[in-house]
Amino acid sequence: MPTLVTELAEFADHHHRRGLPEAVERRSALALLDTYGCIAAGAATDPARAVARHLAEEHPGRPLRELPRQDAALWLGTAAHAHDYDDAQLPTMVHPGTVAVPTALANSLSTESDPLLRAAALGAETALRAGAAALDGTDSVLFERGLHMTSLCGTLGAAVTAGLLRGLDPGRLAHALAIATSLACGLLEANRTGGTVKPVHAGWAAAAGTTAASLAAHGLTGPPTALEGRFGYLAAFVGPTARPEALTEGLGRRWLCLDTVVKPYPTNGFTHPAVELATRLRAEGVGPDRIESIRLDLPAPTLRTVAEPPAAKAAPADGYAARFSAPFAVAVALRGGGGLGVALEDLPDAAVRDPALLALAARVHCRPGARESAAFPAHLGATLHAVLRDGTTRTLHVADTLGSPARPLTRAQVEAKFAANTGRSAAALPVGPQALLAALEPAFTAAAAPPPAGN
């Protein structure tokens, strides 16, 4: 009887050789464009710079294209996730592109784009199915345990992506996936108390999956029941509520990667419907000076991420923490931002010391909304009640966030995001994976430069 790693490996091998459904192929191309832009934008962040300097010390004088594959994957994945601007999926809360695309870029030895796109899509699908197996109803057990879904699930997906691009047969690919279960890790404590390690989780997943594929190629083996076994991945990380059947049910017929959200704003996805409503309120001529207070009705499960504790969310510690604050993101959107409403340049660290923004964020209060909670996670919506200084109230509602499968970004919107992230037209994006790495070389080199004296 085939085990889960065998079934997943055979599925991935089949579609890598025979091709993907047209919709999945289009989604993979979109993920490549979007994630490439996130890598370019994230290269200048502290986590990406730290990784680049580490790699420059380990491999003096070597450009990105000449690094060992696992090291290139480490930097690419870290940069991709550095702004939390990368794609995500509900209810798994896995960010598939931020691991799958860097892994594909680091492991593609060909100049052709088709194998890269297929391998990235199949790795993303594997990661999302691992996330679905960790759901208890609509809640991620991994999240409840403080485990980073993108890192743990992404490591499995990265092993598939890297193994396919290395040409592993289904048997070796199954071993790569089994080995990856022993390399998966990532804790979410940084979301609570600070630290810059979280983006490295995506890079580490890409590097670990790449390493698993390489070890399998050289003869290392993993347990056949690495996923469903008594001491396997699901038992260890998820526990008795694990749903191993989610890994393979509808495999090849239903593609979870088609449910992925491409983010319009560089903030946590749970803030997005509120940000959209704030930009709509501003477009209607209601500026911050006219607002007495705002009440946000949000899905109850999202409050712990973007609204609690209230004092910390109203006054975030830095620009990264501000991305996980619904009150602060709404304040930025009300004042007016770039891009599609809020852009990266609107959330520098200095923004959290702006007295006007802090005063406005303090007037934004979040609560669980009955309508929004009942619809979640199939629909991520919000209701905004603005009490104006003249005593009137404005109420706005959105049932599905912009960028969701119900309201996907247009190609023009994705290209606008890409252009803002890279500083150049999407039409200039090189097609081949080696050309992509070459285009990212200046960003890596700049990130690897020593910090200024005194830092």
Side-chain angles (χ1 to χ4, degrees):
M1 182 176 178
T3 64
L4 290 176
V5 293
T6 300
E7 290 187 64
L8 289 168
E10 290 177 349
F11 157 76
D13 175 75
H14 171 82
H15 283 284
H16 195 244
R17 288 185 294 104
R18 300 291 181 88
L20 301 168
E22 185 178 346
V24 177
E25 192 165 308
R26 285 198 307 269
R27 179 65 191 81
S28 185
L30 190 69
L32 175 64
L33 181 72
D34 188 53
T35 306
Y36 177 95
C38 290
I39 294 170
T45 61
D46 288 343
R49 286 185 182 277
V51 171
R53 290 194 293 268
H54 160 71
L55 296 177
E57 182 178 83
E58 293 295 311
H59 310 286
R62 295 182 70 173
L64 176 64
R65 285 172 292 164
E66 295 180 8
L67 290 178
R69 281 173 281 199
Q70 69 271 18
D71 289 340
L74 175 63
W75 182 77
L76 290 164
T78 300
H81 197 47
H83 286 300
D84 216 78
Y85 207 3
D86 41 301
D87 63 9
Q89 196 253 15
L90 287 175
T92 65
M93 295 192 286
V94 172
H95 295 239
T98 203
V99 178
V101 170
T103 303
L105 286 172
N107 284 276
S108 184
L109 303 179
S110 166
T111 58
E112 299 178 49
S113 59
D114 285 350
L116 178 144
L117 290 175
R118 290 197 297 267
L122 292 161
E125 184 68 15
T126 302
L128 291 172
R129 286 182 169 274
L135 294 175
D136 183 6
T138 59
D139 293 331
S140 172
V141 176
L142 298 176
F143 182 86
E144 293 296 334
R145 292 187 173 196
L147 299 169
H148 191 183
M149 302 71 63
T150 296
S151 189
L152 268 73
C153 303
T155 300
L156 308 188
V160 168
T161 295
L164 291 171
L165 291 170
R166 288 188 68 108
L168 299 188
D169 62 34
R172 287 290 173 200
L173 190 60
H175 282 298
L177 188 50
I179 293 166
T181 64
S182 288
L183 306 182
C185 62
L187 300 176
L188 284 172
E189 185 64 13
N191 273 11
R192 292 186 62 253
T193 57
T196 57
V197 69
K198 181 175 174 281
V200 180
H201 293 174
W204 192 258
T210 295
T211 301
S214 180
L215 292 171
H218 288 95
L220 194 71
T221 62
T225 53
L227 289 168
E228 70 269 36
R230 167 68 179 84
F231 298 115
Y233 175 92
L234 293 176
F237 290 124
V238 184
T241 61
R243 298 176 56 246
E245 67 277 7
L247 283 159
T248 55
E249 61 187 2
L251 201 59
R253 298 190 305 276
R254 186 192 172 209
W255 292 77
L256 300 186
C257 61
L258 295 178
D259 298 333
T260 305
V261 176
V262 177
K263 288 187 169 186
Y265 317 115
T267 58
N268 179 270
F270 291 160
T271 72
H272 285 191
V275 168
E276 180 181 352
L277 293 177
T279 61
R280 192 188 302 175
L281 190 65
R282 174 167 53 87
E284 293 179 0
V286 179
D289 57 329
R290 295 181 57 192
I291 296 172
E292 181 69 30
S293 66
I294 284 178
R295 190 186 77 220
L296 289 176
D297 294 346
L298 302 175
T302 71
L303 294 179
R304 58 192 169 186
T305 301
V306 300
E308 298 170 357
K313 295 301 182 182
D318 52 36
Y320 190 77
R323 289 172 167 77
F324 291 81
S325 165
F328 200 85
V330 163
V332 171
L334 284 168
R335 190 165 74 172
L340 299 177
V342 173
L344 285 172
E345 59 267 22
D346 299 318
L347 284 167
D349 284 346
V352 302
R353 296 186 292 275
D354 184 318
L357 280 177
L358 290 170
L360 185 54
R363 301 201 298 274
V364 179
H365 309 284
C366 303
R367 72 172 192 179
R371 173 169 48 172
E372 292 76 15
S373 300
F376 184 83
H379 305 277
L380 178 59
T383 301
L384 183 151
H385 308 272
V387 178
L388 307 187
R389 296 194 189 279
D390 62 8
T392 61
T393 298
R394 302 284 282 274
T395 298
L396 301 173
H397 172 74
V398 62
D400 287 288
T401 184
L402 181 64
S404 67
R407 297 177 61 216
L409 296 184
T410 65
R411 175 78 185 198
Q413 288 173 317
V414 175
E415 290 186 359
K417 175 183 174 180
F418 174 89
N421 279 341
T422 62
R424 53 179 166 266
S425 167
L429 179 68
V431 174
Q434 298 307 304
L436 287 170
L437 286 176
L440 286 167
E441 187 64 49
F444 172 73
T445 302
N455 283 6

